Amino acid sequence: MTPPPGLQVPPGSVCRLRRALYGLKQAPRAWFERFSTIVEAAGFTPSIHDPAIFIHSSPRGRTILLLYVDDMILTSDDSAHIAFVKQKLCETFLMTDLGPLCYFLGIEITSHPDGYRLSQQRYTLDLLDRFGLTNTHTAATPMELHLQLRASDEVPFSDPSRYRHLVGSLVYLAVTRPDISHAVHILSQFAAASTSVHYGHLLRVLRYLRGTSSHGLFYSHQSTLQLQAYSDATWASSLDDRASVTSYCIFLGSSLVVWKTKKQQTIAKSSAEAEVRALASIVQEVLWLRSILQDFGVPIHSPIPIHCNSTGALQIAADPVKHELTKHISVDAHFTRCHVRAHTVSLRYLPTEVQVADFFTKAQTPP
């Protein structure tokens, strides 16, 4: 680092920085510590489950502040307290009040009489324009049925950075588009060594998005505040390493709030083993959501139902007997069993035909 003009530094000496400069490693931490000090002085308390969420409770209601780098969302039962918080922040920081929430980090939020709608239509159209997809051809689904991709398919793609850039953009787009989650999960596995075949299927996802750019998520005012979860797993579905895939989704009433598709880190020797690992993953997520809702003033006293279509996994999670064939996954089984006994979750069987989480494990038909 070069000393600023006008500062005479003797040879062999170093300068001590009294403030964190923008772009240095310590700058984000210094900014967050400064912001936390100001909002805590205003009566906010950081959530122990998410340090970027600050909560203020009073007889007039509850105020919640969400911080993402230097962008924030502020909501409250008391509009007067929102104005007070804005004034306090403006006294310390140079801020711009953008008014009611309508656009945040590329996500468009639209208010309707019966709920809220989240979409990334502008982001989608910008993505299509950036990658030059100007034709009007569309695809009915993000991925072909029963498609099996391998790392050795065809010749290496000539522009791997373009492939990685596109995959990264689609990963962020999947924040409001659960319909492309499975396709993005499959195609992102080849970002390190993509081929022309992989890139062709990536373009199919773009063609699908062209015809469905206005799709998004809707959160109804009439939705209940009860969590319900769905867990599923595919066994040895990866042709390259025979790894299984965990998939789950969680609803708050009728509103989809969490979904995930992820390859398991260890190789499962049976489908029941893969399902047990998926159950442990979704129990972790459900416990965190339960705690966040309590911070928001929404206590959940009844066990949260988790629906699974594997009778073997349900028996392993419910049976306290240590079996010879399941001792290598006993940690996941005991973790799930512990919370079943504590009545924080309840495991329920659901046939595969109506298993919602199955949507995230394989390519689907247009209906």
Side-chain angles (χ1 to χ4, degrees):
M1 181 174 180
T2 304
L7 181 63
Q8 300 297 329
V9 180
S13 302
V14 296
C15 299
R16 179 183 177 184
L17 290 176
R18 295 187 177 275
R19 294 183 181 180
L21 299 182
Y22 186 83
L24 298 182
K25 289 183 179 180
Q26 63 267 39
R29 178 178 293 274
W31 153 248
F32 186 76
E33 290 178 352
R34 173 63 173 163
F35 184 85
S36 300
T37 302
I38 298 301
V39 295
E40 288 179 23
F44 284 84
T45 302
S47 170
I48 62 175
H49 307 104
D50 191 336
I53 296 178
F54 299 87
I55 303 170
H56 178 275
S57 299
S58 69
R60 294 179 298 178
R62 188 182 304 260
T63 303
I64 300 173
L65 189 153
L66 169 66
L67 176 69
Y68 185 88
V69 190
D70 58 352
D71 296 312
M72 66 189 73
I73 298 177
L74 190 63
T75 183
S76 176
D77 302 320
D78 183 13
S79 57
H81 191 252
I82 291 182
F84 170 77
V85 174
K86 289 180 180 179
Q87 178 184 355
K88 287 296 183 182
L89 292 175
C90 289
E91 291 175 358
T92 307
F93 306 109
L94 181 62
M95 294 181 53
T96 302
D97 184 3
L98 300 179
L101 182 63
C102 59
Y103 192 77
F104 187 73
L105 303 178
I107 301 175
E108 302 167 49
I109 301 94
T110 307
S111 177
H112 297 273
D114 51 351
Y116 287 91
R117 185 177 183 276
L118 273 62
S119 68
Q120 291 174 280
Q121 183 174 10
R122 188 189 310 176
Y123 181 88
T124 302
L125 297 177
D126 290 343
L127 179 64
L128 295 172
D129 182 66
R130 191 188 323 149
F131 284 90
L133 197 67
T134 57
N135 59 61
T136 58
H137 296 293
T138 61
T141 58
M143 181 169 281
E144 300 175 8
L145 287 176
H146 313 300
L147 179 65
Q148 298 286 341
L149 295 177
R150 308 190 68 134
S152 57
D153 289 336
E154 291 291 338
V155 297
F157 185 51
S158 58
D159 191 357
S161 61
R162 179 182 178 88
Y163 186 95
R164 289 191 289 267
H165 184 192
L166 180 53
V167 165
S169 300
L170 291 177
V171 167
Y172 186 70
L173 181 58
V175 170
T176 60
R177 296 295 301 266
D179 49 341
I180 67 171
S181 292
H182 171 71
V184 173
H185 160 73
I186 296 296
L187 295 170
S188 62
Q189 299 178 33
F190 308 105
S194 56
T195 67
S196 55
V197 171
H198 304 148
Y199 184 70
H201 289 288
L202 204 56
L203 292 180
R204 177 189 173 94
V205 178
L206 290 181
R207 289 194 294 270
Y208 169 76
L209 291 173
R210 172 169 288 281
T212 60
S213 60
S214 61
H215 286 194
L217 296 172
F218 182 75
Y219 297 101
S220 173
H221 290 320
Q222 305 302 322
S223 177
T224 63
L225 298 179
Q226 176 62 44
L227 289 173
Q228 54 181 338
Y230 299 85
S231 172
D232 196 12
T234 61
W235 178 50
S237 56
S238 175
L239 298 180
D240 292 317
D241 54 11
R242 308 308 294 178
S244 303
V245 173
T246 292
S247 67
Y248 59 77
C249 57
I250 304 175
F251 289 80
L252 183 62
S254 60
S255 303
L256 179 63
V257 292
V258 172
W259 61 92
K260 191 170 188 177
T261 302
K262 184 179 181 180
K263 182 186 290 188
Q264 296 182 0
Q265 299 297 319
T266 55
I267 307 302
K269 298 181 65 178
S270 67
S271 60
E273 179 181 333
E275 296 279 2
V276 168
R277 290 201 170 100
L279 279 176
S281 298
I282 195 172
V283 169
Q284 288 179 318
E285 191 71 25
V286 162
L287 294 177
W288 180 80
L289 280 175
R290 187 172 183 263
S291 301
I292 286 291
L293 287 175
Q294 289 177 344
D295 289 341
F296 292 168
V298 185
I300 296 179
H301 303 290
S302 59
I304 300 171
I306 299 179
H307 304 274
C308 177
N309 60 350
S310 172
T311 56
L314 295 177
Q315 291 173 358
I316 293 173
D319 190 356
V321 178
K322 183 178 180 180
H323 296 284
E324 182 70 20
L325 297 178
T326 59
K327 60 183 179 181
H328 60 294
I329 57 171
S330 60
V331 173
D332 288 331
H334 278 290
F335 174 76
T336 304
R337 192 178 302 138
C338 172
H339 290 285
V340 170
R341 289 177 175 176
H343 301 291
T344 53
V345 300
S346 63
L347 303 182
R348 302 179 182 179
Y349 174 75
L350 190 69
T352 304
E353 294 77 13
V354 290
Q355 172 59 271
V356 183
D358 187 65
F359 181 81
F360 301 96
T361 62
K362 59 179 69 71
Q364 305 292 334
T365 59

Coordinates of all heavy atoms in Angstrom, one line a residue, residues 156-205:
P156 N -14.9 -30.3 -24.6 CA -15.0 -29.2 -23.7 C -15.5 -27.9 -24.3 O -15.2 -27.6 -25.5 CB -13.5 -29.0 -23.2 CG -12.9 -30.3 -23.5 CD -13.6 -30.9 -24.7
F157 N -16.2 -27.1 -23.6 CA -16.8 -25.9 -24.1 C -15.7 -24.9 -24.3 O -14.8 -24.7 -23.5 CB -17.9 -25.4 -23.1 CG -18.6 -24.2 -23.6 CD1 -19.2 -24.1 -24.9 CD2 -18.7 -23.0 -22.8 CE1 -19.9 -23.0 -25.3 CE2 -19.4 -21.9 -23.2 CZ -20.0 -21.9 -24.5
S158 N -15.8 -24.1 -25.4 CA -14.7 -23.2 -25.8 C -14.6 -22.0 -24.9 O -13.5 -21.4 -24.8 CB -15.0 -22.7 -27.2 OG -16.2 -22.1 -27.4
D159 N -15.7 -21.6 -24.2 CA -15.7 -20.4 -23.3 C -16.2 -20.8 -21.9 O -17.3 -20.5 -21.6 CB -16.5 -19.3 -24.0 CG -16.3 -18.0 -23.3 OD1 -15.5 -17.9 -22.3 OD2 -16.9 -17.0 -23.7
P160 N -15.3 -21.4 -21.1 CA -15.8 -21.9 -19.8 C -16.2 -20.7 -18.9 O -17.1 -20.9 -18.0 CB -14.6 -22.6 -19.2 CG -13.4 -22.2 -20.0 CD -13.9 -21.8 -21.4
S161 N -15.6 -19.6 -19.0 CA -16.0 -18.4 -18.2 C -17.4 -18.0 -18.4 O -18.1 -17.6 -17.5 CB -15.0 -17.3 -18.3 OG -15.0 -16.8 -19.7
R162 N -17.8 -18.1 -19.7 CA -19.2 -17.7 -20.0 C -20.2 -18.7 -19.4 O -21.2 -18.3 -18.9 CB -19.3 -17.7 -21.6 CG -20.8 -17.4 -22.1 CD -20.8 -17.5 -23.6 NE -22.2 -17.2 -24.1 CZ -22.6 -16.0 -24.4 NH1 -21.8 -14.9 -24.2 NH2 -23.9 -15.8 -24.8
Y163 N -19.8 -19.9 -19.4 CA -20.7 -21.0 -18.8 C -20.8 -20.7 -17.3 O -21.9 -20.7 -16.7 CB -20.1 -22.4 -19.0 CG -20.9 -23.5 -18.5 CD1 -21.8 -24.1 -19.3 CD2 -20.8 -23.9 -17.2 CE1 -22.6 -25.2 -18.9 CE2 -21.6 -25.0 -16.7 CZ -22.5 -25.6 -17.6 OH -23.3 -26.6 -17.1
R164 N -19.7 -20.4 -16.6 CA -19.7 -20.1 -15.2 C -20.5 -18.9 -14.8 O -21.2 -18.8 -13.8 CB -18.3 -20.0 -14.6 CG -17.5 -21.4 -14.6 CD -16.2 -21.3 -13.8 NE -15.2 -20.5 -14.5 CZ -14.3 -21.0 -15.3 NH1 -14.3 -22.3 -15.5 NH2 -13.5 -20.3 -16.0
H165 N -20.3 -17.9 -15.7 CA -21.1 -16.6 -15.5 C -22.6 -16.9 -15.6 O -23.3 -16.4 -14.7 CB -20.6 -15.6 -16.5 CG -21.2 -14.2 -16.3 ND1 -21.2 -13.2 -17.3 CD2 -22.0 -13.7 -15.3 CE1 -21.8 -12.2 -16.8 NE2 -22.3 -12.4 -15.6
L166 N -23.0 -17.6 -16.5 CA -24.4 -17.9 -16.7 C -24.9 -18.7 -15.6 O -26.0 -18.5 -15.1 CB -24.6 -18.6 -18.1 CG -26.1 -19.0 -18.4 CD1 -27.0 -17.7 -18.3 CD2 -26.1 -19.5 -19.8
V167 N -24.2 -19.8 -15.2 CA -24.6 -20.6 -14.0 C -24.8 -19.8 -12.8 O -25.8 -19.9 -12.0 CB -23.6 -21.8 -13.8 CG1 -23.9 -22.4 -12.5 CG2 -23.8 -22.8 -14.9
G168 N -23.8 -18.9 -12.5 CA -23.9 -18.1 -11.3 C -25.1 -17.1 -11.4 O -25.8 -16.9 -10.3
S169 N -25.4 -16.6 -12.5 CA -26.6 -15.8 -12.7 C -27.9 -16.6 -12.4 O -28.8 -16.1 -11.8 CB -26.7 -15.1 -14.0 OG -25.5 -14.3 -14.3
L170 N -27.9 -17.8 -12.9 CA -29.1 -18.6 -12.7 C -29.3 -19.0 -11.2 O -30.4 -19.2 -10.7 CB -29.1 -19.8 -13.6 CG -29.2 -19.6 -15.1 CD1 -29.1 -20.9 -15.9 CD2 -30.6 -18.9 -15.4
V171 N -28.2 -19.2 -10.5 CA -28.2 -19.6 -9.1 C -28.9 -18.5 -8.4 O -29.8 -18.7 -7.5 CB -26.8 -19.8 -8.6 CG1 -26.8 -19.9 -7.0 CG2 -26.3 -21.1 -9.1
Y172 N -28.6 -17.2 -8.7 CA -29.3 -16.1 -8.0 C -30.7 -16.0 -8.4 O -31.6 -15.6 -7.6 CB -28.5 -14.8 -8.2 CG -29.1 -13.6 -7.4 CD1 -28.9 -13.6 -6.1 CD2 -29.8 -12.6 -8.1 CE1 -29.5 -12.6 -5.3 CE2 -30.4 -11.6 -7.3 CZ -30.2 -11.6 -5.9 OH -30.7 -10.6 -5.2
L173 N -31.0 -16.3 -9.7 CA -32.4 -16.2 -10.2 C -33.3 -17.2 -9.5 O -34.5 -17.0 -9.3 CB -32.4 -16.4 -11.7 CG -33.8 -16.3 -12.4 CD1 -34.4 -15.0 -12.1 CD2 -33.6 -16.6 -13.9
A174 N -32.7 -18.3 -9.1 CA -33.5 -19.4 -8.4 C -34.0 -19.0 -7.1 O -34.7 -19.7 -6.4 CB -32.6 -20.7 -8.3
V175 N -33.6 -17.8 -6.6 CA -34.1 -17.3 -5.3 C -35.6 -17.1 -5.4 O -36.3 -17.4 -4.3 CB -33.5 -15.9 -5.0 CG1 -34.1 -15.2 -3.8 CG2 -32.0 -16.1 -4.7
T176 N -36.2 -16.8 -6.5 CA -37.6 -16.7 -6.6 C -38.2 -17.6 -7.7 O -39.4 -17.5 -8.0 CB -38.0 -15.2 -7.0 OG1 -37.4 -14.9 -8.3 CG2 -37.6 -14.2 -5.9
R177 N -37.4 -18.5 -8.2 CA -37.8 -19.4 -9.3 C -37.5 -20.9 -8.9 O -36.5 -21.5 -9.3 CB -37.1 -19.1 -10.6 CG -37.5 -17.7 -11.2 CD -39.0 -17.7 -11.5 NE -39.4 -18.6 -12.5 CZ -39.4 -18.4 -13.8 NH1 -39.1 -17.2 -14.3 NH2 -39.8 -19.4 -14.6
P178 N -38.3 -21.5 -8.0 CA -38.0 -22.9 -7.6 C -38.2 -23.8 -8.8 O -37.7 -24.9 -8.7 CB -39.1 -23.1 -6.5 CG -40.1 -22.1 -6.8 CD -39.4 -20.9 -7.3
D179 N -38.8 -23.4 -9.9 CA -39.0 -24.3 -11.0 C -37.8 -24.6 -11.8 O -37.7 -25.6 -12.5 CB -40.1 -23.7 -12.0 CG -39.8 -22.3 -12.3 OD1 -39.1 -21.6 -11.6 OD2 -40.4 -21.8 -13.3
I180 N -36.7 -23.8 -11.6 CA -35.4 -24.0 -12.3 C -34.4 -24.6 -11.3 O -33.2 -24.8 -11.7 CB -34.9 -22.8 -13.0 CG1 -34.5 -21.7 -11.9 CG2 -35.9 -22.2 -13.9 CD1 -33.8 -20.5 -12.5
S181 N -34.7 -24.8 -10.1 CA -33.8 -25.2 -9.1 C -33.1 -26.6 -9.4 O -31.9 -26.7 -9.3 CB -34.4 -25.4 -7.7 OG -34.8 -24.1 -7.2
H182 N -33.9 -27.5 -9.9 CA -33.3 -28.8 -10.2 C -32.3 -28.7 -11.4 O -31.2 -29.2 -11.4 CB -34.4 -29.8 -10.6 CG -33.9 -31.1 -11.1 ND1 -33.2 -32.0 -10.4 CD2 -33.9 -31.6 -12.4 CE1 -32.8 -33.1 -11.1 NE2 -33.3 -32.9 -12.4
A183 N -32.7 -28.0 -12.5 CA -31.9 -27.8 -13.6 C -30.6 -27.1 -13.3 O -29.5 -27.5 -13.7 CB -32.6 -27.1 -14.7
V184 N -30.7 -26.1 -12.5 CA -29.5 -25.3 -12.1 C -28.6 -26.1 -11.2 O -27.4 -26.1 -11.4 CB -29.9 -24.0 -11.4 CG1 -28.7 -23.3 -10.8 CG2 -30.7 -23.1 -12.3
H185 N -29.2 -27.0 -10.4 CA -28.4 -27.9 -9.5 C -27.6 -28.8 -10.4 O -26.4 -29.0 -10.1 CB -29.3 -28.6 -8.6 CG -28.7 -29.9 -8.0 ND1 -27.7 -29.8 -7.1 CD2 -28.9 -31.2 -8.3 CE1 -27.4 -31.1 -6.8 NE2 -28.1 -31.9 -7.5
I186 N -28.2 -29.4 -11.4 CA -27.5 -30.3 -12.3 C -26.4 -29.7 -13.1 O -25.2 -30.1 -13.1 CB -28.5 -31.1 -13.2 CG1 -29.4 -31.9 -12.4 CG2 -27.7 -31.9 -14.2 CD1 -28.8 -33.0 -11.6
L187 N -26.7 -28.5 -13.7 CA -25.8 -27.9 -14.6 C -24.6 -27.2 -13.9 O -23.5 -27.0 -14.4 CB -26.5 -26.9 -15.5 CG -27.5 -27.5 -16.4 CD1 -28.4 -26.5 -17.1 CD2 -26.8 -28.4 -17.5
S188 N -24.8 -26.8 -12.6 CA -23.8 -26.1 -11.9 C -22.7 -27.1 -11.5 O -21.6 -26.7 -11.2 CB -24.3 -25.5 -10.6 OG -24.9 -26.4 -9.8
Q189 N -22.9 -28.4 -11.5 CA -21.9 -29.4 -11.2 C -20.8 -29.4 -12.2 O -19.7 -30.0 -11.9 CB -22.5 -30.8 -11.0 CG -23.6 -30.8 -9.9 CD -24.2 -32.2 -9.8 OE1 -23.6 -33.2 -10.1 NE2 -25.5 -32.2 -9.4
F190 N -21.0 -28.9 -13.4 CA -20.1 -29.0 -14.5 C -19.4 -27.6 -14.7 O -18.8 -27.4 -15.8 CB -20.7 -29.5 -15.8 CG -21.5 -30.7 -15.6 CD1 -22.9 -30.7 -15.6 CD2 -20.8 -32.0 -15.4 CE1 -23.6 -31.9 -15.4 CE2 -21.5 -33.1 -15.2 CZ -22.9 -33.1 -15.2
A191 N -19.5 -26.7 -13.8 CA -18.9 -25.4 -14.0 C -17.4 -25.4 -14.1 O -16.8 -24.6 -14.8 CB -19.3 -24.4 -12.8
A192 N -16.8 -26.4 -13.5 CA -15.3 -26.4 -13.5 C -14.8 -27.0 -14.8 O -13.7 -26.6 -15.3 CB -14.8 -27.3 -12.4
A193 N -15.6 -27.8 -15.5 CA -15.2 -28.5 -16.7 C -16.4 -28.7 -17.6 O -16.9 -29.8 -17.7 CB -14.4 -29.8 -16.5
S194 N -16.9 -27.7 -18.2 CA -18.2 -27.8 -18.9 C -17.9 -28.2 -20.4 O -16.8 -28.1 -20.9 CB -18.9 -26.4 -19.0 OG -18.1 -25.4 -19.5
T195 N -18.9 -28.8 -21.0 CA -18.8 -29.2 -22.4 C -19.9 -28.6 -23.2 O -20.7 -27.9 -22.7 CB -18.9 -30.8 -22.5 OG1 -20.3 -31.1 -22.1 CG2 -18.0 -31.5 -21.6
S196 N -19.8 -28.8 -24.5 CA -20.8 -28.1 -25.4 C -22.2 -28.7 -25.1 O -23.2 -28.0 -25.3 CB -20.4 -28.4 -26.8 OG -20.2 -29.8 -27.1
V197 N -22.3 -29.9 -24.7 CA -23.6 -30.5 -24.4 C -24.2 -29.8 -23.1 O -25.4 -29.5 -23.1 CB -23.5 -32.0 -24.1 CG1 -24.8 -32.6 -23.5 CG2 -23.1 -32.8 -25.4
H198 N -23.4 -29.6 -22.1 CA -23.9 -28.9 -20.9 C -24.3 -27.5 -21.3 O -25.4 -27.0 -20.8 CB -22.7 -28.9 -19.9 CG -22.2 -30.2 -19.5 ND1 -20.9 -30.4 -19.2 CD2 -22.8 -31.4 -19.5 CE1 -20.7 -31.7 -18.9 NE2 -21.8 -32.3 -19.1
Y199 N -23.6 -26.8 -22.1 CA -23.9 -25.4 -22.5 C -25.3 -25.4 -23.3 O -26.1 -24.5 -23.1 CB -22.8 -24.8 -23.3 CG -23.1 -23.3 -23.6 CD1 -23.1 -22.4 -22.6 CD2 -23.4 -22.9 -24.9 CE1 -23.3 -21.0 -22.9 CE2 -23.6 -21.6 -25.2 CZ -23.6 -20.7 -24.2 OH -23.9 -19.3 -24.5
G200 N -25.5 -26.4 -24.1 CA -26.7 -26.5 -24.8 C -27.9 -26.6 -23.9 O -29.0 -26.0 -24.1
H201 N -27.8 -27.4 -22.9 CA -28.9 -27.6 -21.9 C -29.0 -26.3 -21.1 O -30.1 -26.0 -20.6 CB -28.6 -28.8 -21.0 CG -28.8 -30.1 -21.7 ND1 -30.0 -30.6 -22.1 CD2 -27.9 -31.0 -22.1 CE1 -29.9 -31.7 -22.7 NE2 -28.6 -32.0 -22.8
L202 N -27.9 -25.6 -20.9 CA -28.0 -24.3 -20.2 C -28.8 -23.3 -21.0 O -29.6 -22.5 -20.4 CB -26.6 -23.8 -19.9 CG -26.4 -22.8 -18.7 CD1 -26.9 -23.4 -17.4 CD2 -24.9 -22.4 -18.6
L203 N -28.6 -23.3 -22.3 CA -29.4 -22.4 -23.2 C -30.9 -22.8 -23.1 O -31.8 -22.0 -23.3 CB -28.9 -22.5 -24.6 CG -27.5 -21.9 -24.8 CD1 -27.1 -22.0 -26.3 CD2 -27.5 -20.4 -24.4
R204 N -31.2 -24.1 -22.9 CA -32.6 -24.5 -22.8 C -33.3 -23.9 -21.6 O -34.4 -23.4 -21.7 CB -32.7 -26.0 -22.7 CG -34.1 -26.5 -22.6 CD -34.2 -28.0 -22.2 NE -35.6 -28.4 -21.9 CZ -36.4 -29.0 -22.8 NH1 -36.0 -29.1 -24.1 NH2 -37.6 -29.3 -22.4
V205 N -32.5 -23.7 -20.5 CA -33.1 -23.1 -19.3 C -33.4 -21.6 -19.7 O -34.4 -21.1 -19.3 CB -32.1 -23.1 -18.2 CG1 -32.6 -22.4 -16.9 CG2 -31.8 -24.6 -17.8

